[in-house]
Structures are given as structure tokens and as C-alpha cells.
């Protein structure tokens, strides 16, 4: 994303991640719902000032206009804050945002007080599927980063966000933040409860006829080839073709190797979006956090990358268990 300002320079390249130490109470994840620049500054400045005083590594992941507002208010102290849109869904998909968060945390552990402090200006995108992806990420963050020394303040601006997104803040953040301080959110839901309960409606495109359909794929190889052909025919860019097929092929592999045959697939597109749904006849799925990190950690040679790759390469990934089988639905905008 383009949006760095002079006072808050974009960060330099970060090192490859190592294991991150666990924290003993240094983690905070709060949401502030604001309706004006004055309310924004009233919650942001004390949060950032505390980090400056403590020597924390400070990062902003905000739309450009919020970056400008905050850095103007910080004045000369803005030089101590980095612009890092990719540390949240504002500039990356969920697995990459989590990975970059860990890399920044490594820098904090090595060079400062040992804590990363992030201010995020929430903007999940224009569509309900984008909102759902953002709500899922904010909830999962509590489970996957909840033992790490990270203080994250997420600002929800009622002037620019749909009511549904603003209302979700209290459910996905353990603390709520106002100008008077931080307090426990009584509406907060454990991620293990919240994430599986998110509604997963059919995409509007799914109401129409698919451009590709197979009800009992003869083999994994044949299904991979069919998916490659249909994606190549309908996705303009070669790089996106390869990315989408790579991830869809991994999901198909999971269906054949870990699911129950028959395996079916459907693809829909309207020229602007592409949806691919792959279904096997099994019904077992119990981990709402799968795919946000590699299943076997940083050793990718051990496999377990299907959902992780899908979350990295498609905009939205929904896992839909039903009595008839398990469907993984992938959807994305076409570039």
C-alpha cells in the first residue's frame, strides 16, 4: 500500500522469523470505536506515547489519512513510529500479516523494550465477505498471538465502517479503549466459540450456473488439470492464474488424501470475481484456526500447507462442514 508519510517512514526490511518468546502478561489487544478525529487522537496518542516512553517498537497499520492525522499530532516524535500496512489486513492477507507481526516482534525483542506496539486503523474492505475475513482475523489473533509481548490497539471509525464491522469490535477484542483508559470487554467471545459461529452464507455468484462442475472427479491429477484449464481460461493475469491454481490444487489434494470420495468441484465467475468450491464426502473438521499458520510450523517440507496457501493466495477462504460433506470455498477478486 502507498501511504507512508515523511514523519512515519516505511520500515526497512526485516529478518527471517525465529521462534518468538512467550510473554508473561505483556500482551494487550484492544479496540477503540471512534466517530471523530478528536476521539481518534484521544485514544491513539496516549497509546503511542506510552510506547515511546517504554522504548517499544512502534508501528502504524492505518489508511493514509489516519497516518497523516496521527503523525501530525505526534510532531517531532513521529520519527519513532514506522508505517507498516502489511502488519494487518490493510496491506496483506492473514497468514502474511501474522508472519510480518512476528518478524517485527523479533526486532522488538532484539533492539528495544521487548514489546511490539501496533496501532491499526481498521478497514476490512467493501464487501460482507471482506468483513467476515477481517472479523475472523481479529478473533484468531487472540489465539495465535495471545501469549506474545504485543500491544495492539485497533481503531474502528464509525464514519467509514459498516455498522456490522463496528459492532464486531467488542466481540473480537478482550479490551475496549476510550479516552479514559482500557477496560475489559464484557461482550468478548473466545475465538474457539466466535470463529465457528460466524455466518457463512452462499456467495451471490453461487446462485448462478457454474462455469465448471464435476461431481465425481476421476483422480486428483485429472481434477488438478481441469482446475488449471478453467482458471487459465478466465483469469487474465498469468501470475494470478498460477497462484490461484496452486492453492486450489492443494485443497483438491487435501480432499483426496484426507477426505472421503467422491470429490466434487464447482467454479463460478462474473469476470470480476472467481469462486472455487471443492467438496469431499467427509464431515470431520474441528479446528477453526487451521490455515493461518503452516500446520507443521516453519518446516514446510513436512506438508500441511493446503489451507495456509489458500489463505495466502485467495482473498477469502471458508470451510463449510455439512451432513453431506466438507466444502472448502475459495473466492477472490480478479486483477
Amino acid at each position: 500500500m502507498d501511504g507512508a508519510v515523511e514523519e512515519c517512514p516505511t520500515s526497512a526490511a526485516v529478518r527471517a522469523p525465529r521462534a518468538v518468546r512467550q510473554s508473561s502478561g505483556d500482551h494487550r489487544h484492544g479496540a477503540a470505536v471512534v466517530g471523530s478525529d478528536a476521539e481518534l487522537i484521544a485514544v491513539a496518542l496516549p497509546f503511542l506515547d506510552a510506547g515511546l516512553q517504554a522504548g517499544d517498537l512502534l508501528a502504524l497499520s492505518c489508511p493514509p489519512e489516519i497516518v497523516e492525522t496521527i503523525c501530525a499530532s505526534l510532531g517531532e516524535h513521529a520519527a519513532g513510529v514506522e508505517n507498516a500496512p502489511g502488519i494487518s489486513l490493510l496491506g496483506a492477507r492473514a497468514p502474511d500479516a501474522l508472519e510480518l507481526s512476528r518478524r517485527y516482534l523479533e526486532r522488538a525483542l532484539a533492539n528495544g523494550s521487548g514489546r511490539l506496539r501496533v496501532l491499526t486503523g481498521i478497514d476490512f474492505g467493501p464487501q460482507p465477505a471482506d468483513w467476515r475475513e477481517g472479523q475472523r482475523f481479529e478473533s484468531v489473533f487472540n489465539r495465535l498471538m495471545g501469549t506474545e509481548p504485543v500491544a495492539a490497539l485497533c481503531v474502528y471509525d464509525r464514519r467509514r465502517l459498516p455498522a456490522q464491522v463496528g459492532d464486531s469490535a467488542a466481540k473480537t477484542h478482550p479490551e475496549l479503549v476510550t479516552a479514559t483508559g482500557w477496560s475489559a470487554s464484557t461482550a468478548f467471545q473466545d475465538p474457539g466459540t466466535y470463529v465457528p459461529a460466524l455466518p457463512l452464507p452462499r456467495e451471490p455468484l453461487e446462485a448462478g450456473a457454474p462455469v465448471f462442475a464435476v461431481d465425481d472427479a476421476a483422480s486428483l491429477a485429472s481434477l488438478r488439470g481441469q482446475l488449471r484449464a478453467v482458471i487459465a481460461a478466465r483469469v487474465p493475469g498469468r501470475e494470478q492464474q498460477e497462484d490461484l491454481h496452486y492453492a486450489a490444487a492443494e485443497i483438491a489434494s487435501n480432499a483426496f488424501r484426507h477426505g472421503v470420495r467422491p470429490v466434487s468441484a464447482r467454479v463460478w465467475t462474473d469476470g470480476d470475481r472467481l469462486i472455487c468450491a471443492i467438496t469431499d464426502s467427509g464431515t470431520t473438521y474441528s479446528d477453526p484456526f487451521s490455515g493461518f499458520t503452516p500446520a507443521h510450523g516453519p518446516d514446510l517440507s513436512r506438508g500441511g500447507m493446503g489451507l495456509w496457501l489458500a489463505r495466502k493466495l485467495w482473498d477469502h477462504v471458508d470451510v463449510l462442514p455439512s451432513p453431506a460433506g466438507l466444502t472448502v470455498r475459495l473466492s477472490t477478486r480478479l486483477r
Side-chain angles (χ1 to χ4, degrees):
M1 170 189 149
D2 183 14
V5 296
E6 184 177 354
E7 292 87 358
C8 297
T10 303
S11 65
V14 291
R15 299 187 307 273
R18 301 194 304 266
V20 177
R21 73 168 190 181
Q22 290 195 341
S23 165
S24 57
D26 289 335
H27 179 86
R28 303 193 84 171
H29 187 206
V33 182
V34 304
S36 67
D37 285 352
E39 291 180 359
L40 166 65
I41 294 303
V43 295
L45 288 192
F47 177 74
L48 295 172
D49 183 64
L52 289 168
Q53 296 297 322
D56 294 344
L57 177 58
L58 303 182
L60 296 181
S61 185
C62 301
E65 61 272 24
I66 294 181
V67 173
E68 292 175 7
T69 298
I70 290 173
C71 288
S73 298
L74 285 172
E76 63 183 13
H77 300 295
V81 184
E82 299 189 16
N83 188 47
I87 213 167
S88 75
L89 295 194
L90 187 69
R93 295 189 177 107
D96 296 321
L98 288 166
E99 176 62 19
L100 189 58
S101 295
R102 289 187 174 274
R103 291 184 179 186
Y104 267 79
L105 181 54
E106 277 294 310
R107 290 178 55 203
L109 294 173
N111 301 324
S113 69
R115 183 150 88 166
L116 171 65
R117 188 174 292 251
V118 181
L119 178 69
T120 298
I122 294 298
D123 185 354
F124 295 147
Q127 301 296 327
D130 300 320
W131 309 342
R132 182 173 65 247
E133 206 67 47
Q135 291 169 233
R136 184 184 288 144
F137 174 78
E138 289 298 324
S139 183
V140 166
F141 185 89
N142 297 296
R143 181 65 60 89
L144 298 184
M145 296 292 288
T147 59
E148 311 293 6
V150 177
L153 172 57
C154 302
V155 178
Y156 289 68
D157 192 330
R158 292 189 299 267
R159 296 171 296 177
R160 57 185 297 140
L161 297 176
Q164 176 181 324
V165 173
D167 292 344
S168 72
K171 299 176 182 178
T172 57
H173 294 75
E175 296 182 90
L176 296 178
V177 186
T178 66
T180 60
W182 293 54
S183 61
S185 172
T186 58
F188 175 70
Q189 296 181 17
D190 183 89
T193 300
Y194 180 81
V195 174
L198 283 171
L200 300 173
R202 285 174 62 85
E203 296 277 356
L205 268 180
E206 294 177 83
V211 297
F212 167 76
V214 59
D215 287 320
D216 186 359
S219 67
L220 173 58
S222 68
L223 181 55
R224 280 177 159 176
Q226 290 170 316
L227 291 172
R228 177 180 290 280
V230 72
I231 289 172
R234 289 169 173 83
V235 178
R238 181 63 179 273
E239 182 179 356
Q240 190 176 30
Q241 287 178 20
E242 294 298 324
D243 285 348
L244 299 184
H245 176 258
Y246 186 27
E250 287 296 314
I251 296 301
S253 296
N254 285 351
F256 272 92
R257 293 170 181 168
H258 307 298
V260 177
R261 297 184 70 173
V263 173
S264 64
R266 299 283 187 277
V267 176
W268 296 263
T269 185
D270 61 1
D272 295 319
R273 292 175 54 78
L274 188 79
I275 297 174
C276 176
I278 297 173
T279 302
D280 71 78
S281 299
T283 57
T284 301
Y285 178 75
S286 59
D287 184 5
F289 310 109
S290 59
F292 289 94
T293 58
H296 301 298
D299 183 2
L300 302 184
S301 66
R302 298 177 60 190
M305 298 185 296
L307 276 173
W308 178 68
L309 282 169
R311 294 196 191 280
K312 283 172 69 69
L313 299 176
W314 290 70
D315 290 338
H316 312 118
V317 178
D318 296 316
V319 180
L320 309 161
S322 76
L326 182 69
T327 297
V328 177
R329 180 178 61 196
L330 315 173
S331 64
T332 199
R333 297 173 185 85
L334 298 181
R335 300 194 295 269

